[in-house]
Amino acid sequence: VAVATIYRNFSSKDQLLAAAMIEWTGRLRARVDQRPPRGANATERMIDVLRRACAAMDRQPKLSIALVRALSSADAGSVGARSDVRRTIATMGEGVLADLDPQVRIDILAVLGHVWYSSLISWANGRSSFETVVEELERACHVMIDPYVAASER
């Protein structure tokens, strides 16, 4: 495809990459729908979803770094993409946390999204390893979801 054709549909490289991230998260959501998360409780199932997403990113690290950087761009075309990506990821988590109070579920998913984004930015800028991204997400899941799992088991 000619560069002019691309720029007819996307105002910048960041907007193109952000659109690719939307496509990627949509495919991930479809795979999660086809093969539901595994685990004995909500924490384990959320970790399973996040590990799958991280594994997909880890398979193509250069593309993933470009996608993360595009989403963090100040480019106007990326702003809407960030919301779309956040919404898709939250939708995957809503099913996993369906037994929780709706406001608690919204809060947990928002904080997980921030932890993931922050960890990915650190990784994309070479300040941490990809294993650290996964560890941070798992820690956040345990801190935020385990108390509700424990309360429901009483």
Side-chain angles (χ1 to χ4, degrees):
V1 175
V3 173
T5 303
I6 292 171
Y7 283 107
R8 209 171 306 137
N9 294 301
F10 301 97
S11 62
S12 68
K13 178 180 74 171
D14 286 340
Q15 187 181 18
L16 172 64
L17 288 168
M21 186 67 159
I22 292 169
E23 177 70 21
W24 178 83
T25 55
R27 287 182 184 179
L28 174 64
R29 181 179 173 196
R31 286 193 305 273
V32 169
D33 288 345
Q34 289 173 348
R35 198 178 108 227
R38 288 185 239 149
N41 59 46
T43 304
E44 291 177 12
R45 289 188 297 276
M46 182 59 71
I47 289 171
D48 182 56
V49 168
L50 294 170
R51 278 185 185 162
R52 286 195 229 175
C54 287
M57 294 183 81
D58 197 30
R59 282 191 290 274
Q60 296 184 356
K62 288 181 182 180
L63 174 61
S64 296
I65 287 170
L67 294 173
V68 169
R69 287 182 178 160
L71 284 177
S72 63
S73 165
D75 182 83
S78 299
V79 174
R82 279 193 294 271
S83 297
D84 290 344
V85 168
R86 192 177 305 118
R87 216 174 1 264
T88 301
I89 297 297
T91 300
M92 285 187 287
E94 285 174 355
V96 172
L97 303 176
D99 293 339
L100 299 180
D101 175 80
Q103 188 57 53
V104 169
R105 183 172 56 238
I106 289 167
D107 293 344
I108 288 172
L109 292 171
V111 173
L112 280 177
H114 292 302
V115 169
W116 195 7
Y117 183 71
S118 173
S119 298
L120 285 174
I121 293 293
S122 182
W123 166 72
N125 289 319
R127 292 191 306 263
S128 69
S129 67
F130 203 79
E131 293 77 29
T132 301
V133 173
V134 176
E135 290 168 6
E136 290 296 319
L137 285 168
E138 289 181 11
R139 179 185 309 153
C141 285
H142 284 293
V143 167
M144 294 187 321
I145 304 169
D146 280 352
Y148 295 99
V149 169
S152 71
E153 292 174 350
R154 285 186 214 149

